[in-house]
Amino acid sequence: MEECIFCKITKGEMDAEVVYSDDRVVAFRDINPQAPVHVLVVPRKHVRSVFDLSPEDYDLLGRIFQVAKRVSEEEGIAGSGVRILTNVERGAGQSVFHLHFHVMGGRQMHWPPG
Ligand code: AMP
């Protein structure tokens, strides 16, 4: 079975523009950015979506949001507006089935997102 592309990126087996990395979380620029800043915050652990987290993974969510804040500050968008979102399954737009949070900013965000 072909390995998950985000697993490959977190293991350094596939190129990505990594902006943050620690023992549990990696953040890298989206290859098809939808905003001037568009970073994906991804756990190293392979989990399909936020609905597949088990209770022992919940502290990982806290780490992910810490990283999202840190990246937003470093990218200079923390004060101007940041959208942090995760898609769950195809109907919501999920196309890579390894949990990731989009961190987007640098332009006016609209609602509803469509
Ligand atoms: P989603 O559609 O919510 O599952 O988000 C997946 C995101 O991953 C999309 O915004 C893609 O542009 C992005 N993406 C897919 N492949 C790569 C890659 N190799 N490097 C960086 N971002 C990627």
Side-chain angles (χ1 to χ4, degrees):
M1 203 173 80
E2 181 116 334
E3 205 192 345
C4 161
I5 57 170
F6 286 1
C7 283
K8 285 186 177 169
I9 290 173
T10 59
K11 289 177 186 167
E13 296 170 2
M14 186 184 269
D15 281 346
E17 198 181 333
V18 173
V19 297
Y20 176 86
S21 175
D22 67 26
D23 58 326
R24 298 176 77 191
V25 176
V26 179
F28 52 90
R29 295 195 196 283
D30 196 293
I31 204 166
N32 183 23
Q34 301 301 310
V37 176
H38 189 170
V39 170
L40 302 174
V41 182
V42 176
R44 290 185 185 275
K45 179 176 180 178
H46 182 87
V47 179
R48 180 181 173 90
S49 83
V50 75
F51 285 179
D52 294 283
L53 289 168
S54 47
E56 62 266 25
D57 296 323
Y58 287 167
D59 67 321
L60 187 55
L61 278 179
R63 176 75 75 96
I64 286 169
F65 278 90
Q66 276 183 306
V67 172
K69 181 182 178 192
R70 178 180 167 149
V71 167
S72 299
E73 288 169 349
E74 288 175 357
E75 295 289 324
I77 57 169
S80 56
V82 183
R83 181 159 295 162
I84 301 172
L85 67 87
T86 190
N87 295 317
V88 180
E89 299 302 333
R90 287 188 204 283
Q94 187 174 7
S95 60
V96 177
F97 294 91
H98 179 131
L99 176 63
H100 52 281
F101 284 79
H102 298 258
V103 175
M104 304 163 73
R107 66 166 171 82
Q108 180 62 48
M109 294 294 169
H110 302 289
W111 195 265

